[in-house]
Amino acid sequence: MSTVAEAVAARHCGLRVLGLSLITNAAPLPPEDGGPAPQDPPAGHQEVLEAAGAGARHLRELLARLAPRLDAGGHA
C-alpha cells in the first residue's frame, strides 16, 4: 500500500517524515529477465506470512537502533 499521500500531507503540515517499506511478495520478473519459470506457482499465503515475520524481525532491530536518534527537534 502506498503511503505517498500521507507523507505529502504530513510534510505539508510541517511534520518530519520517515518512510519504511517491507516487501513480502514482489511481482516476479518474466523468465527471459531471470524470473521464475511459468510453471512455478506464485508465493502463497504461508510464504508471504513467513517473509513478513522475517522482515518484521529486521524492522524491529532497525527501529530499535534508529528510535533513540530521533527526537522532537533534532536531526537523525
Side-chain angles (χ1 to χ4, degrees):
M1 304 281 300
S2 176
T3 56
V4 172
E6 292 88 343
V8 169
R11 288 299 301 146
H12 181 74
C13 293
L15 300 173
R16 292 169 55 204
V17 175
L18 171 65
L20 301 171
S21 294
L22 174 61
I23 299 169
T24 58
N25 61 334
L29 292 171
E32 60 272 12
D33 291 332
Q39 70 272 12
D40 291 345
H45 187 68
Q46 188 59 40
E47 288 94 352
V48 171
L49 290 176
E50 289 169 6
R57 288 188 290 278
H58 294 292
L59 211 51
R60 231 182 337 268
E61 182 178 336
L62 173 66
L63 289 173
R65 291 179 183 212
L66 182 61
R69 299 184 61 193
L70 302 175
D71 61 30
H75 297 282

